[in-house]
């Protein structure tokens, strides 16, 4: 069996504890599986872990980060239409994460 190297970048809109959990899972899976990837696992694994550790500083921000601003800008119509309906807003965020 050959394990190929691949990377993904996925921005998640969630509460700080959920963001930490998601980021920790990404770091753990990268540590566990990243080095085995062919051909670039040994090179990309440290960079991926570094990026995830660096992203942790954005989980407790009191102001909007670039990912949230981009999401809001691209879905402003739906957000404005359902601004008084918490259920529909939650549905928009859950189904359309970046």
């Amino acid at each position: 069996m050959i394990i190929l190297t691949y990377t993904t970048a996925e921005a998640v809109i969630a509460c700080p504890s959920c963001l930490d959990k998601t980021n920790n899972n990404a770091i753990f899976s990268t540590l566990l599986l990243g080095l085995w990837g062919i051909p670039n696992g040994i090179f990309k694994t440290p960079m991926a872990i570094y990026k995830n550790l660096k992203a942790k500083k954005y989980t407790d921000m009191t102001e909007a980060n670039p990912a949230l601003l981009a999401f809001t800008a691209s879905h402003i119509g739906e957000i404005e239409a359902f601004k008084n309906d918490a259920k529909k807003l939650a549905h928009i965020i859950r189904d359309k994460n970046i």
Side-chain angles (χ1 to χ4, degrees):
M1 182 172 169
I2 297 175
I3 302 171
L4 298 175
T5 301
Y6 74 94
T7 58
T8 60
E10 180 181 333
V12 177
I13 297 172
C15 67
S17 62
C18 294
L19 289 173
D20 276 337
K21 182 179 178 182
T22 301
N23 202 338
N24 289 338
N25 288 340
I27 291 169
F28 178 73
S29 64
T30 301
L31 277 170
L32 187 64
L33 303 171
L35 294 174
W36 299 101
I38 297 171
N40 297 319
I42 195 142
F43 303 110
K44 288 189 175 187
T45 298
M47 291 186 301
I49 292 170
Y50 172 75
K51 285 181 182 181
N52 284 338
L53 289 172
K54 189 175 170 186
K56 283 180 155 287
K57 72 179 180 180
Y58 293 108
T59 58
D60 278 334
M61 292 178 64
T62 55
E63 65 277 349
N65 66 27
L68 180 58
L69 293 173
F71 178 85
T72 304
S74 64
H75 296 92
I76 191 66
E78 293 168 288
I79 292 169
E80 189 62 30
F82 301 119
K83 66 183 174 187
N84 295 321
D85 189 336
K87 275 186 154 180
K88 287 192 179 186
L89 282 175
H91 181 67
I92 291 167
I93 292 170
R94 214 178 355 262
D95 291 346
K96 299 189 182 194
N97 267 329
I98 315 165

